Amino acid sequence: MRGARSLSRSTGAALALVALVAACRARPRERVLVLDDGVKMSADGRILSLASLDGYLASNPAWDGRAIALAGARGETVAFQVMV
């Protein structure tokens, strides 16, 4: 039963995130960014990195521009960041 509860929480979180993205797309001024957990962003929206990450905001390992894609092993915690 514990696995089913964990799955339903994950599903609920994913649905909430999809609703957030859809709501922000309805308002063109709003911008939603999805980043993996290894990237830092400054308060003014610049990515803080020593390496060049050209095009990272449009598409990255966690975000293809339309949907969030996460993968992990059983029992592993997978993280990502949502910037609104």
Side-chain angles (χ1 to χ4, degrees):
M1 187 67 180
R2 183 175 182 177
R5 186 180 313 161
S6 177
L7 181 61
S8 66
R9 278 190 197 157
S10 299
T11 303
L15 290 174
L17 189 58
V18 167
L20 174 68
V21 170
C24 288
R25 283 188 179 198
R27 295 185 232 159
R29 294 180 314 167
E30 302 295 329
R31 187 169 162 192
V32 175
L33 303 173
V34 178
L35 310 172
D36 64 60
D37 64 334
V39 175
K40 292 183 180 181
M41 181 174 272
S42 67
D44 63 356
R46 292 180 299 123
I47 293 179
L48 305 175
S49 175
L50 298 175
S52 174
L53 295 175
D54 294 332
Y56 186 85
L57 296 179
S59 178
N60 59 57
W63 173 253
D64 67 2
R66 295 182 310 123
I68 297 170
L70 301 174
R74 181 179 292 166
E76 180 180 10
T77 301
V78 180
F80 63 96
Q81 305 173 68
V82 178
M83 306 296 179
V84 181

